[in-house]
């Protein structure tokens, strides 16, 4: 009976702690938010968890969640007490406060993960949950960005929502100066929103579910496989762990490379070089385009740092090519190394598994390489006498062209003067933004595989073939239909959005509006400089576009229209109706 009451206390304590953290961060000057109270809260919750752990009647999944929460809390408590009594002579320092806050934030995230598992079971609509998670995260981020401690001066709700949505949808469009209008806390909040949006909050919750996976149902496995864009339900939690760990590893390596690429550590305006490196590594890999510099990577301090540009370009390409492609590629490399190891050291022949490199990997890699290669040449030729003229060296011009080709497909960074781009370059950039990144990646757009399938199907129909065949494999009609549906839906949504913004802001240039709309829908983040000058109505249109682009218009339609009950397939077909198309 006592343990049931303790469980109820935890249920009520979680939202109270969440509100406490928000108020603590936003209004930390109040006496109620002293460090001693923070230690008391963490210690009390840990004791309650310890009592519940001794209950033998609780279900396994709940007990696993309680154990993980207790483990996280106790680590930070021990760290805090060791620092207080052995190193700081009884004083509570800032790093102790930060560690305790991190422990509470992790605790809330674990509780949210457990709550999500309950939702998985009760509401079986993956698309609906995906939509809700991004919308909820955008509104939560806007509230956090409106805290007094997050901004230098007060900002409107629309601007806060726009910034939060842009971060969650890893777009990079801004109506405020990230460097000057947000405090250190505000930048950290934006960075967290970028990370959660890039990976997807449901991938994060799946990652934590791995640690209390007891009782994990087949229904939940199907649900999570929808989020991770995989058709198999086996090892979906392991895949979520791989995605999160791979992301953290690449971002850590990127942080180190960016840090050492900054030759003069004093050029990074107001932030420390380490924070600058962490921020831009995460922002680049997640294809978000946010920067702590007022003019982004076009700032004079880093505009000609070509090593930095190359590192950022590599990070955004890795983030935009898709996790499945990367894992498939690394599997191929591993088997290749294993093959030569057996041949050299064991004098044995190691046989590859059949079809290591999938057809999907080949299509995505080839399309990505094709767009990068010809995009680089196009930027070099079209901008040689325009925006590239400020880069004096031959290497600098090619590096800036390569970076522009890579970043145009949903990354949002720029190293060229956007206001001096030639009209032909603007139209070509719109084309690259529309295509975007690859499926199951941190980028947006219609995706490279969608564009490739549609193009190959047009060629196949022109040759008189009734089926789309690639490398002795037949592409399913469902995939072809889906590709064309995504293309048509994207163009319809973009056209309607352009029309609405023209009505709301009739004085703006139609080319600039079109560029802005394509950028928002494709979560590219590039702009010709009109974002902050748009009306609130136009900003709301762009907010909806960013959400639609990140979630996917087709996923939204599935969430709203599809009946997720079991469908029985009856053996009947209607007569064929011929429609003249020419």
């Amino acid at each position: 009976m006592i343990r049931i009451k303790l469980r109820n206390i935890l249920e009520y304590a979680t939202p109270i702690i969440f509100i406490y953290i928000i108020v603590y961060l936003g209004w930390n000057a109040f006496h109620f938010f002293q460090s001693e109270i923070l230690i008391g809260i963490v210690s009390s919750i840990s004791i309650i968890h310890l009592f519940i752990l001794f209950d033998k009647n609780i279900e396994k999944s709940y007990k696993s969640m309680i154990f993980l929460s207790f483990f996280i809390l106790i680590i930070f408590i021990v760290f805090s007490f060791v620092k207080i009594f052995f190193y700081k002579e009884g004083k509570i320092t800032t790093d102790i406060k930060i560690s305790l806050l991190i422990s509470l934030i992790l605790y809330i995230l674990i509780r949210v993960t457990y709550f999500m598992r309950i939702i998985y079971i009760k509401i079986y609509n993956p698309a609906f949950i995906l939509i809700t998670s991004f919308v909820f995260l955008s509104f939560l981020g806007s509230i956090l960005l409106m805290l007094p401690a997050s901004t230098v001066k007060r900002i409107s709700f629309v601007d806060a929502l726009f910034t939060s949505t842009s971060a969650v949808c890893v777009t990079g469009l801004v109506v405020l100066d990230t460097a000057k209008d947000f405090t250190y806390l505000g930048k950290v909040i934006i960075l967290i929103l970028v990370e959660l949006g890039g990976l997807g909050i449901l991938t994060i919750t799946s990652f934590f579910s791995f640690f209390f996976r007891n009782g994990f149902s087949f229904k939940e496995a199907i649900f999570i496989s929808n989020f991770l864009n995989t058709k198999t339900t086996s090892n979906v939690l392991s895949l979520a762990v791989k995605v999160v760990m791979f992301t953290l590893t690449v971002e850590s390596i990127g942080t180190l490379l960016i840090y050492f690429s900054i030759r003069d550590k004093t050029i990074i305006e107001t932030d420390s070089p380490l924070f600058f490196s962490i921020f831009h590594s995460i922002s680049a890999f997640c294809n978000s385009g946010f920067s702590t510099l007022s003019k982004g990577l076009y700032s004079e301090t880093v505009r000609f740092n070509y090593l930095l540009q190359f590192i950022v370009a590599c990070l955004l390409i890795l983030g935009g090519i898709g996790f499945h492609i990367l894992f498939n590629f690394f599997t191929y490399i591993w088997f290749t190394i294993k093959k030569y190891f057996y041949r050299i050291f064991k004098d044995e022949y190691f046989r590859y598994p059949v079809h290591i490199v999938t057809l999907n990997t080949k299509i995505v890699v080839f399309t990505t390489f094709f767009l990068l290669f010809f995009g680089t040449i196009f930027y070099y030729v079209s901008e040689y006498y325009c925006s590239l003229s400020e880069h004096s060296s031959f290497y600098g011009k090619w590096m800036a062209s390569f970076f522009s080709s890579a970043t145009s497909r949903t990354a949002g960074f720029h190293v060229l003067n956007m206001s001096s781009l030639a009209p032909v370059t603007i139209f070509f950039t719109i084309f690259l933004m529309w295509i975007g990144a690859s499926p199951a990646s941190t980028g947006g757009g219609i995706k490279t595989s969608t564009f490739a399938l549609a193009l190959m199907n047009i060629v196949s129909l022109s040759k008189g073939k009734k089926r789309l065949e690639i490398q002795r494999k037949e592409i399913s009609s469902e995939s072809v239909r889906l590709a064309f549906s995504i293309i048509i839906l994207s163009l319809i949504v973009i056209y309607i959005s352009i029309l609405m913004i023209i009505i709301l802001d009739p004085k703006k240039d139609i080319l600039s509006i079109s560029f802005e709309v394509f950028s928002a829908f494709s979560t590219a983040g590039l702009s010709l400089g009109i974002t902050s000058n748009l009306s609130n109505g136009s900003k709301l249109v762009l907010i909806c576009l960013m959400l639609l682009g990140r979630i996917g218009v087709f996923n939204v339609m599935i969430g709203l229209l599809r009946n997720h009950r079991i469908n029985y397939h009856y053996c009947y077909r209607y007569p064929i109706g011929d429609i003249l198309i020419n």
Side-chain angles (χ1 to χ4, degrees), residues 243-259:
V243 168
V244 174
M245 295 306 296
F246 177 79
T247 299
L248 295 177
T249 301
V250 172
E251 288 172 349
S252 300
I253 296 172
T255 298
L256 292 175
L257 293 175
I258 291 174
Y259 183 83

Side-chain angles (χ1 to χ4, degrees), residues 428-443:
F428 182 73
T429 304
I430 288 175
F431 172 70
L432 290 180
M433 289 192 298
W434 178 63
I435 295 175
S438 303
S441 70
T442 58

Side-chain angles (χ1 to χ4, degrees), residues 297-574:
L297 297 186
Y298 185 68
S299 299
E300 293 180 3
T301 54
V302 295
R303 189 185 306 172
F304 304 107
N305 189 337
Y306 302 119
L307 177 59
L308 173 64
Q309 292 177 22
F310 180 74
I311 294 168
V312 171
C314 289
L315 284 171
L316 60 91
I317 290 171
L318 284 175
I321 203 168
F323 293 106
H324 295 292
I325 308 300
L326 290 172
F327 293 154
N328 187 228
F329 181 70
F330 287 133
T331 301
Y332 172 76
I333 292 176
W334 167 248
F335 278 118
T336 302
I337 294 172
K338 200 172 182 180
K339 174 184 176 181
Y340 286 104
F341 177 83
Y342 272 71
R343 181 180 298 177
I344 296 171
F345 295 99
K346 293 188 176 183
D347 197 22
E348 297 179 11
Y349 177 74
F350 177 77
R351 175 172 290 182
Y352 278 93
V354 180
H355 305 303
I356 298 178
V357 181
T358 63
L359 179 61
N360 179 59
T361 299
K362 293 177 181 178
I363 290 174
V364 169
V365 170
F366 177 79
T367 308
T368 302
F369 175 79
F370 177 85
L371 292 172
L372 282 172
F373 180 76
F374 286 100
T376 301
I377 295 174
F378 189 92
Y379 274 102
Y380 184 83
V381 173
S382 65
E383 291 299 312
Y384 189 88
Y385 295 106
C386 298
S387 58
L388 283 176
S389 60
E390 60 184 342
H391 297 270
S392 57
S393 66
F394 175 79
Y395 169 76
K397 291 183 189 302
W398 277 109
M399 190 65 244
S401 301
F402 170 72
F403 186 90
S404 300
S405 176
T407 193
S408 295
R409 294 187 305 106
T410 82
F413 294 106
H414 67 279
V415 293
L416 300 178
N417 187 356
M418 298 298 293
S419 60
S420 66
L421 291 181
V424 65
T425 308
I426 294 174
F427 275 101
F428 182 73
T429 304
I430 288 175
F431 172 70
L432 290 180
M433 289 192 298
W434 178 63
I435 295 175
S438 303
S441 70
T442 58
I446 63 169
K447 302 296 188 297
T448 52
S449 57
T450 302
F451 173 73
L453 277 187
L455 195 62
M456 287 185 286
N457 187 56
I458 292 171
V459 174
S460 179
L461 288 173
S462 302
K463 293 180 178 179
K465 295 183 178 180
K466 295 183 178 180
R467 299 183 300 271
L468 177 58
E469 298 170 341
I470 305 172
Q471 292 190 346
R472 297 185 178 181
K473 287 189 177 182
E474 182 180 336
I475 307 301
S476 66
S477 59
E478 182 182 358
S479 297
V480 177
R481 287 166 55 200
L482 182 61
F484 277 99
S485 298
I486 290 172
I487 289 173
I488 296 300
L489 278 173
S490 69
L491 294 176
I492 291 172
V493 170
I494 287 170
Y495 176 80
I496 293 173
S497 301
I498 292 173
L499 190 63
M500 291 177 67
I501 295 180
I502 289 174
I503 295 171
L504 294 169
D505 286 282
K507 294 182 180 180
K508 300 297 181 184
D509 178 50
I510 188 171
L511 181 60
S512 299
I513 292 174
S514 301
F515 193 92
E516 202 82 10
V517 167
F518 272 93
S519 179
F521 179 81
S522 301
T523 69
L526 295 175
S527 174
L528 296 180
I530 68 169
T531 315
S532 57
N533 298 322
L534 292 172
S535 63
N536 286 338
S538 297
K539 290 177 184 177
L540 291 174
V541 172
L542 292 180
I543 287 171
C544 295
L545 267 178
M546 288 188 285
L547 286 169
L548 286 174
R550 183 69 181 100
I551 299 167
V553 182
F554 208 79
N555 286 330
V556 173
M557 295 188 67
I558 289 173
L560 296 176
L561 301 178
R562 179 176 290 183
N563 183 5
H564 289 271
R565 296 177 182 177
I566 298 174
N567 293 318
Y568 297 96
H569 299 281
Y570 299 100
C571 297
Y572 70 85
R573 295 184 68 175
Y574 289 113

Side-chain angles (χ1 to χ4, degrees), residues 36-262:
E36 291 78 5
I37 297 176
L38 196 61
I39 293 176
I41 292 173
V42 178
S43 302
S44 301
I45 297 174
S46 302
I47 293 170
I48 294 174
H49 280 72
L50 185 62
F51 275 105
I52 295 177
L53 280 174
F54 287 106
D55 187 2
K56 297 181 179 179
N57 297 322
I58 60 174
E59 57 272 21
K60 289 183 178 180
S61 59
Y62 187 82
K63 190 171 185 178
S64 299
M65 185 270 293
I66 291 294
F67 176 78
L68 181 60
S69 301
F70 175 76
F71 179 74
I72 293 292
L73 292 170
I74 204 68
I75 286 177
F76 285 95
I77 289 175
V78 172
F79 169 79
S80 300
F81 279 104
V82 169
K83 292 274 286 184
I84 292 171
F85 293 108
F86 291 96
Y87 293 100
K88 300 300 179 182
E89 300 178 355
K91 295 181 180 180
I92 300 176
T93 55
T94 304
D95 57 343
I96 295 174
K97 294 180 186 178
I98 293 173
S99 65
L100 291 172
L101 277 173
I102 291 173
S103 69
L104 289 177
I105 292 170
L106 289 174
Y107 165 71
I108 290 173
L109 189 57
I110 293 169
R111 296 286 300 189
V112 168
T113 301
Y114 184 77
F115 178 71
M116 290 299 298
R117 292 191 65 192
I118 299 174
I119 295 178
Y120 291 168
I121 297 171
K122 292 186 177 181
I123 306 176
Y124 184 67
N125 190 330
F128 177 77
I129 298 298
L130 181 65
I131 297 166
T132 306
S133 67
F134 276 95
V135 174
F136 172 76
L137 198 58
S138 296
F139 275 97
L140 176 61
S142 64
I143 294 172
L144 294 175
L145 290 177
M146 290 185 70
L147 295 175
S150 298
T151 56
V152 175
K153 58 183 179 180
R154 190 174 180 180
I155 63 175
S156 66
F157 173 73
V158 174
D159 287 345
L161 181 61
F162 191 98
T163 305
S164 175
T165 306
S166 183
V168 170
C169 298
V170 290
T171 304
L173 284 175
V174 292
V175 291
L176 299 168
D177 190 332
T178 308
K180 296 178 179 178
D181 293 330
F182 291 99
T183 61
Y184 182 78
L185 174 63
K187 294 172 186 175
V188 170
I189 291 172
I190 290 174
L191 191 62
I192 293 172
L193 292 175
V194 167
E195 187 75 289
L196 292 176
L199 286 173
I201 190 172
L202 298 167
T203 305
I204 303 292
T205 56
S206 302
F207 170 76
F208 280 102
S209 293
F210 180 82
F211 299 100
F212 44 90
R213 55 197 289 180
N214 292 329
F216 191 77
S217 65
F218 177 72
K219 188 176 180 180
E220 289 176 86
I222 297 175
F223 194 85
I224 294 175
S225 66
N226 280 274
F227 302 139
L228 299 177
N229 290 306
T230 178
K231 295 182 179 180
T232 178
T233 57
S234 60
N235 300 322
V236 287
L237 289 182
S238 300
L239 178 60
V241 172
K242 287 180 182 178
V243 168
V244 174
M245 295 306 296
F246 177 79
T247 299
L248 295 177
T249 301
V250 172
E251 288 172 349
S252 300
I253 296 172
T255 298
L256 292 175
L257 293 175
I258 291 174
Y259 183 83
F260 290 114
S261 71
I262 305 171

